[in-house]
Amino acid sequence: MSYRRDHRVVRSALFDNYDSIEEGGVRASRSYSRDIDEHDNDKAVDNLQDRVSFLKKLTGDIHEEVESHNRILDKMGNEMDSSRGIMSRTMDRFKIVFDKKAHRKTCKLAGWFVLSFLLIYYVFRYLMYFVHL
């Protein structure tokens, strides 16, 4: 945007006095205009080079970030595979335990002990709450 404004300012400055300048003056203003256009082009090229180098650096940073995330995802995938193996072995062991009647009775007995312990715990806690009031 500013390049267009600068170009318009230079152009209007050159051609406002066009009618009052002699032919030699017109040639001088045309060469001056050409110098200004070349200067503007050089500025635009420099600006474009700066933008290209910035974009190149930005894409390099993005590439490094993507590579880092890919390594993290690969590591997480490997860990998920190993945990899936552990879980499947655990489930196989539970199946073996629950297939036998004796083991099933033992598990039920352990479950009843845990439930009764929790029930007694909360009953005493409830009673102690009312005693302290």
Side-chain angles (χ1 to χ4, degrees), residues 97-98 100-116:
V97 167
F98 284 112
K100 296 180 182 176
K101 272 191 171 180
H103 292 296
R104 204 175 323 152
K105 287 181 181 177
T106 307
C107 288
K108 284 182 183 178
L109 184 63
W112 282 111
F113 277 127
V114 170
L115 285 175
S116 60

Side-chain angles (χ1 to χ4, degrees), residues 7-26:
H7 184 66
R8 289 180 190 152
V9 169
V10 169
R11 191 173 178 93
S12 66
L14 286 175
F15 293 109
D16 282 346
N17 298 326
Y18 179 73
D19 295 332
S20 64
I21 299 178
E22 298 176 5
E23 188 173 333
V26 171

